[in-house]
Amino acid sequence: MSPAVAAPPGLFAILAFDASNQLAVRQLGSRMGLPFTGSDFAMAVSRLAGAFSTHTKPAEYFAADAGGRSYRVFFVQVSGQPADSEIVFRSLDSLTAEPAALAPSLAGLIAELEPHLVEIPYLHLGENDFIYKFRPAQERNPGIYAQDAAAGTLYQSRLCAAIKALARQHERTAAAPVTLDFGAVSYVIPSHFGFCLGVKNAIERAYETLAENPGRRVFMLSELIHNPFVNEDLLRRGLRYLQTDKGDPYTVNGKVGPAAGSATLLWDTLTPEDIVIIPAFGATDEDKRRLVRRGIAVCHYDATCMLVEKVWKAARAYGREGFTVVIHGKHEHEETKATFSNTRRYAPAVIVRNLEEAQLLGSIVASDEATMQGRFELAFAGRYTPGFEVVRDLQRIAVVNQTTLLMNETLEIISHLRDVYTKTFGDAQRVGGSSRRDTLCYATQVNQDALSRALGEPLDAAFVIGGKNSSNTYQLFRLCEQTLGDQAFFIQSESSIRSREIVEHYVYLGGGSGRIEPRPLWPGETTPKRVLITGGASCPDGIIQQVITRINSFFPAAQLRDVEDVLADLERAAGRNYTNIP
């Protein structure tokens, strides 16, 4: 009998990535291999330190067999150029495109990277750190909103600046509305409206990136925010989109869907020299993996709102506590897609759109019928994680939400599910999240609270301004509609107000679709009016002022007070001057 051959001892391998997520490899002629390995951890670290003086602490990610050896694999992010001339950076896509050039050990470990790709851009961050924190006021870049006449008209408004100075004593607390008295028409403006901090962060990141990189291609993963005028202004300045807000990719000639034919997709032209900005909604893990494989710098241009990321962190915590995560959101919305994708790494998950769907989920939880798995799969098709088992995965649940929805609806869903679990299991603690409101965006909520206060005023009409696909704008419209019925209008800009008689109102039909419907405003009426105006979180101040100007044009000039007189009223109340703002 032949003696047993001892297995070779295991090795340690450190995979070093730069800020563009390219992997450091040792290149000798046409062959490439692992540069930082050792029979013990200290040896691998020593080889890493000899090439890069600055790197993150090595973090262990997996173990694998490759090239006939067993490896414990660690990741680091490195800075600067390698001191060793044989070490070069290559994108993962470029490496896998040359299998014959790869040493078996390198090829084997690259093949194991897929589950971990989404974490590579953020190796320098702790799990409780945020990718892109809100900038304090002194670090904001107001210059981008006035870089030329077009930007000034779109983003700036003396009236809005005066209202905010007067009414916003606290960023997170709604105050009484402000009235603009133009004489024949008065406007009731909530204390909080328009751009939130997450949107400001994303807009400033986009304009700054374009200005700082004049010789490079700059892409947005999809729409920066849900406002067509902001997106059009960025396109005019050279930004391009990789895909639509529904995730359909654009071709190099700007086509999408069936019209694209066999044309090359922009995704397929990306190189490490290109820049891709992730919008405030965040991105799915699938999209991030594609960017990582291309060698694109993901983290530096990730403008995910930190309040969206806060939802992700809550979902992760719930998953670690053994809860299945129920996401209150619109499954077609980019933010909910990103939250679902992120959550599935840590927990089973299912998306419910509203209270009605939560009630359906509750009926399945309360059922002991053999058909409940089939009922679940039919009702929530495409909105639950693979391998979801009703009996196993609905034992304990926790609710998080799409940040742009109504807080009260999320709380109603939590309350209903708690009742179901109490009646079914005798244990309300099986539903997590009922005492936590940390996944409710304060900016969305304060806009809703401020609007509710304004709706307590006597009003003849309300105009809610925002993009057709803006979820938070639609929620504001719903609040107005509950009070004013068909005298509440969802519009995109002043051009939606065709005349004193007709408004082109947007009717949202659900599932990301809708239609324009002409509705009467004040046909044949000449009496003074009192009008509420607000804007969603992606509505620029300039458009709000343009809507006011448009409505003013329906009244005789002799019956209107001059805008300077209205501003003087606000300035006296706030003790400030707004002569330098358009």
Side-chain angles (χ1 to χ4, degrees):
M1 184 178 228
S2 301
V5 178
L11 296 175
F12 291 79
I14 298 177
L15 302 185
F17 299 89
D18 66 7
S20 292
N21 308 301
Q22 297 185 85
L23 178 64
V25 297
R26 184 173 299 281
Q27 185 164 4
L28 295 171
S30 62
R31 298 284 291 173
M32 289 176 281
L34 295 168
F36 311 122
T37 61
S39 56
D40 57 45
F41 183 61
M43 180 184 295
V45 170
S46 176
R47 289 174 173 170
L48 171 69
F52 296 100
S53 58
T54 303
H55 58 80
T56 59
K57 182 180 178 181
E60 188 167 7
Y61 272 82
F62 62 90
D65 292 332
R69 305 293 295 271
S70 296
Y71 288 89
R72 290 175 61 184
V73 181
F74 295 74
F75 292 175
V76 297
Q77 188 177 96
V78 297
S79 301
Q81 293 301 309
D84 187 335
S85 61
E86 293 180 352
I87 295 175
V88 297
F89 286 108
R90 296 286 299 272
S91 72
L92 295 175
D93 272 358
S94 70
L95 290 171
T96 54
E98 302 180 62
L102 307 184
S105 55
L106 175 59
L109 295 190
I110 288 176
E112 301 293 327
L113 287 179
E114 188 68 19
H116 313 288
L117 292 181
V118 73
E119 299 182 55
I120 290 171
Y122 311 104
L123 290 171
H124 60 297
L125 298 177
E127 66 173 22
N128 294 319
D129 292 333
F130 288 94
I131 298 168
Y132 188 27
K133 291 183 179 180
F134 293 153
R135 294 175 173 178
Q138 63 271 23
E139 294 179 14
R140 304 220 70 88
N141 185 0
I144 67 106
Y145 302 109
Q147 54 188 302
D148 54 30
T153 300
L154 178 61
Y155 292 113
Q156 296 199 304
S157 163
R158 293 167 67 192
L159 285 172
C160 291
I163 292 165
K164 292 173 184 177
L166 176 60
R168 292 191 187 180
Q169 303 304 314
H170 301 284
E171 185 66 33
R172 296 176 180 236
T173 305
V178 173
T179 299
L180 306 179
D181 181 7
F182 278 87
V185 58
S186 295
Y187 300 96
V188 177
I189 313 295
S191 63
H192 291 68
F193 59 88
F195 283 173
C196 63
L197 290 177
V199 166
K200 289 180 182 178
N201 262 19
I203 287 175
E204 291 172 21
R205 172 63 62 88
Y207 282 99
E208 289 167 353
T209 300
L210 284 168
E212 293 165 0
N213 297 277
R216 299 173 68 181
R217 296 197 304 174
V218 179
F219 296 92
M220 185 68 64
L221 183 62
S222 60
E223 289 185 348
L224 175 69
I225 59 174
H226 286 160
N227 187 282
F229 304 100
V230 172
N231 292 324
E232 287 167 10
D233 189 68
L234 286 164
L235 289 172
R236 181 174 64 84
R237 298 174 192 275
L239 190 76
R240 301 180 74 182
Y241 296 116
L242 286 177
Q243 57 195 29
T244 69
D245 60 341
K246 306 306 178 195
D248 299 321
Y250 284 106
T251 66
V252 292
N253 54 12
K255 303 294 184 180
V256 68
S262 59
T264 302
L265 299 179
L266 281 174
W267 267 105
D268 295 333
T269 71
L270 291 178
T271 75
E273 293 302 309
D274 294 324
I275 294 170
V276 178
I277 303 171
I278 293 176
F281 316 112
T284 65
D285 284 0
E286 293 77 13
D287 283 339
K288 286 185 177 180
R289 289 188 189 106
R290 292 177 75 181
L291 294 173
V292 168
R293 287 193 294 265
R294 286 277 171 180
I296 302 293
V298 173
C299 185
H300 185 70
Y301 299 103
D302 188 342
T304 300
C305 174
M306 63 182 293
L307 298 181
V308 172
E309 201 181 349
K310 203 171 182 183
V311 176
W312 300 353
K313 293 181 186 301
R316 180 185 68 204
Y318 288 137
R320 289 175 176 172
E321 293 169 11
F323 290 100
T324 287
V325 176
V326 176
I327 302 168
H328 172 211
K330 300 176 180 179
H331 70 275
E332 73 277 3
H333 193 282
E334 299 102 308
E335 181 192 323
T336 297
K337 289 179 183 178
T339 297
F340 179 78
S341 178
N342 190 281
T343 300
R344 63 187 289 181
R345 280 188 264 153
Y346 306 102
V350 59
I351 301 170
V352 299
R353 189 179 195 88
N354 48 33
L355 179 59
E356 182 181 357
E357 290 195 353
Q359 290 169 339
L360 176 57
L361 184 67
S363 71
I364 293 171
V365 170
S367 172
D368 58 2
E369 299 174 2
T371 59
M372 61 182 180
Q373 180 72 29
R375 286 178 58 205
F376 173 84
E377 292 177 0
L378 180 62
F380 297 98
R383 291 181 286 157
Y384 59 86
T385 47
F388 197 106
E389 294 183 14
V390 169
V391 173
R392 179 193 65 201
D393 294 327
L394 291 180
Q395 290 294 312
R396 300 172 73 227
I397 62 171
V399 180
V400 301
N401 69 297
Q402 180 181 317
T403 61
T404 55
L405 300 183
L406 294 176
M407 178 190 74
N408 288 339
E409 291 191 354
T410 299
L411 296 179
E412 286 175 357
I413 288 171
I414 293 172
S415 178
H416 173 75
L417 291 173
R418 286 191 69 196
D419 288 345
V420 169
Y421 276 78
T422 299
K423 292 174 183 176
T424 305
F425 301 104
D427 183 6
Q429 298 306 309
R430 287 177 179 250
V431 178
S434 57
S435 63
R436 301 186 191 181
R437 297 192 180 191
D438 56 357
T439 71
L440 297 164
C441 168
Y442 78 81
T444 296
Q445 187 56 44
V446 76
N447 278 6
Q448 294 170 8
D449 292 344
L451 177 58
S452 295
R453 294 190 65 167
L455 285 168
E457 300 275 325
L459 297 166
D460 295 297
F463 291 91
V464 182
I465 311 164
K468 295 175 182 177
N469 54 350
S470 171
S471 177
N472 77 87
T473 305
Y474 177 63
Q475 305 309 321
L476 296 177
F477 165 74
R478 288 177 62 200
L479 291 176
C480 291
E481 186 180 40
Q482 290 168 11
T483 300
L484 294 167
D486 61 7
Q487 284 299 291
F489 302 93
F490 182 0
I491 65 174
Q492 285 64 67
S493 72
E494 77 283 356
S495 64
S496 300
I497 308 174
R498 304 305 298 171
S499 67
R500 190 183 179 107
E501 285 72 35
I502 294 294
V503 174
E504 291 184 345
H505 165 73
Y506 183 70
V507 179
Y508 179 69
L509 300 176
S513 64
R515 68 172 188 271
I516 295 293
E517 178 180 283
R519 286 191 177 179
L521 181 55
W522 305 308
E525 294 186 32
T526 58
T527 56
K529 298 297 178 184
R530 190 171 171 84
V531 180
L532 185 151
I533 295 179
T534 192
S538 54
C539 179
D541 286 356
I543 293 180
I544 292 175
Q545 181 152 338
Q546 290 160 29
V547 168
I548 291 173
T549 301
R550 176 65 172 163
I551 297 174
N552 279 354
S553 72
F554 300 150
F555 296 86
Q559 297 179 16
L560 291 171
R561 296 179 69 209
D562 188 83
V563 67
E564 298 300 329
D565 294 331
V566 176
L567 278 167
D569 293 344
L570 298 175
E571 289 171 2
R572 280 191 294 272
R576 300 178 70 167
N577 185 282
Y578 302 95
T579 57
N580 294 325
I581 301 176

